[in-house]
Amino acid sequence: MKIGALIPIRLSSERLPSKALMDLCGRPVFAHLLDRVVACKHIKSPKDVVVCTTRDPSDDALEKAVCAYGASIFRGSTDDIIDRFGAAMAQFDFDVVVQADGDDPLSATEYMDLTVDKLLATPGTDIVTVQGLPLGIATKSFTRMAMERVLSYYKTKKNDTGFIYFFTKTGLCKHVEVLPISPDHIIDRARLTLDYEVDLALFRNIFKALYEPGRLFTLTELVRYLRQNPDQVKSNLSVEEEYCRRTAKKAVLEFTQRNGKTKIVPV
C-alpha cells in the first residue's frame, strides 16, 4: 500500500496573497508545514508529499520553491480541488493520503500518524478526521476509493472552500472521527490557521518563541505556550466571525446521490 500526502496551496489567495512564501523564522511558511508532514511515520520520502497547486503562472514561484525543498508538485484546476486531488492521487498511485491544508503550518504530525493508523486498522473506513483540536491543527486521512467515489458523484466544481465536506457530510463515504489523545492538546478558541495579517502576526510570535532549526516543537509545547500567553490567543479572534461567514457562503455541496437524484447539503 502506497501512502502519500496531499497539500493544496495556491499563491493567488484573496485575503493574503503569496502567504505560503512569507517568512517565518527565515523560512517560507510552506516549508514549516512540509517539515511536519514529512515527519509523519507513514511518509517514507519527501517525494511522497505532493503540493497540489494550479496551472496558473502565478504559482510558478511556488513550484520552484517546493521542488527546491525536495517535495513533489502537481498542477491542476484552479477552483476544483477535488479534481486536482483525484488526478494527483492517480498520478502518484497513492492508496491512502494524509491531507493537510496549506494554510496550516502547525498541522500536528501526531494526528497525521493517528488518522492513518485508524484508517488502516478499520477496514471499510473511507476517511478519518479529528475533532476537538484548535482550528489549523487537525489533519485527515482518506483512501483512494473514497476519492474515486467523490469524483463520481460531486457536482460543485468550485470547491476550493469546503471540498472536504463532500467526504464527511454527504453520506458518500464512511467517516470516522477521532478525539484528542491528551488534554495537553486542547485549548479553547485558539485560531491557528493563516488567512489574515493578524494570523501571520500570531504565527510569527509563536515561531519566535518555540522554533529551533532542525527540531519540530510538539503540540503539547504549543498549547503550553498559548495557555501561558492568553493575549496571543485573543490576538486574531477578531477575524473568526468573518472567516466562518465566508466559509458558509462559499461551501456548496451539490452532488448526485447513488439513486441518481441530485442533492444539495447545507454546510
Side-chain angles (χ1 to χ4, degrees):
M1 181 171 292
K2 188 175 181 182
I3 301 175
L6 302 180
I7 304 172
I9 303 177
R10 61 176 181 169
L11 297 184
S12 57
S13 168
E14 295 175 4
R15 291 162 291 183
L16 195 60
S18 297
K19 57 190 174 185
L21 298 182
M22 290 180 175
D23 180 79
L24 274 180
C25 287
R27 302 177 71 221
V29 168
F30 84 87
H32 293 285
L33 171 56
L34 264 57
D35 288 347
R36 294 180 176 274
V37 179
V38 169
C40 172
K41 69 181 184 181
H42 295 284
I43 301 298
K44 303 306 180 186
S45 165
K47 289 294 185 183
D48 290 332
V49 178
V50 183
V51 173
C52 298
T53 192
T54 79
R55 302 184 190 95
D56 193 277
S58 63
D59 287 316
D60 290 351
L62 177 63
E63 177 175 5
K64 182 178 179 181
V66 169
C67 291
Y69 178 95
S72 297
I73 197 86
F74 179 86
R75 301 187 74 160
S77 171
T78 297
D79 297 317
D80 191 343
I81 287 182
I82 292 173
D83 179 76
R84 205 190 307 168
F85 276 3
M89 284 191 80
Q91 178 173 311
F92 288 88
D93 199 26
F94 293 145
D95 299 296
V96 168
V97 290
V98 174
Q99 200 272 295
D101 291 337
D103 297 341
D104 300 341
L106 290 175
S107 294
T109 305
E110 302 97 316
Y111 289 89
M112 298 176 204
D113 294 343
L114 180 63
T115 57
V116 177
D117 287 344
K118 184 71 172 179
L119 195 62
L120 298 180
T122 51
T125 298
D126 295 308
I127 180 168
V128 179
T129 63
V130 185
Q131 293 298 316
L133 295 180
L135 177 65
I137 295 299
T139 60
K140 48 268 188 193
S141 298
F142 57 81
T143 66
R144 185 163 176 177
M145 185 176 296
M147 183 80 256
E148 291 174 350
R149 192 176 304 124
V150 170
L151 282 167
S152 296
Y153 291 102
Y154 85 113
K155 295 178 73 71
T156 305
K157 302 303 181 181
K158 190 169 184 177
N159 51 60
D160 55 323
T161 297
F163 69 90
I164 201 63
Y165 297 143
F166 281 97
F167 293 80
T168 61
K169 291 181 178 291
T170 59
L172 294 173
C173 300
K174 183 178 179 181
H175 172 210
V176 172
E177 294 180 341
V178 295
L179 297 174
I181 56 177
S182 169
D184 293 333
H185 295 169
I186 303 170
I187 183 167
D188 291 338
R189 297 201 68 194
R191 172 188 163 79
L192 298 169
T193 193
L194 178 57
D195 287 301
Y196 303 93
E197 288 285 354
V198 288
D199 298 327
L200 181 62
L202 173 59
F203 278 117
R204 284 178 170 161
N205 287 335
I206 290 170
F207 274 79
K208 182 178 179 181
L210 299 178
Y211 176 66
E212 299 174 19
R215 187 186 82 89
L216 297 177
F217 54 87
T218 66
L219 182 53
T220 298
E221 291 174 288
L222 171 61
V223 170
R224 183 186 305 124
Y225 169 80
L226 293 173
R227 288 174 177 172
Q228 293 171 348
N229 296 273
D231 56 318
Q232 294 294 317
V233 178
K234 297 175 183 177
S235 66
N236 66 340
L237 294 182
S238 60
V239 300
E240 185 64 11
E241 183 177 346
E242 178 186 345
Y243 171 85
C244 293
R245 184 170 58 247
R246 180 180 181 275
T247 298
K249 181 180 179 180
K250 294 191 71 173
V252 178
L253 305 183
E254 183 178 3
F255 63 102
T256 303
Q257 301 176 89
R258 298 187 190 187
N259 61 11
K261 294 182 179 180
T262 296
K263 185 175 183 178
I264 299 177
V265 176
V267 175

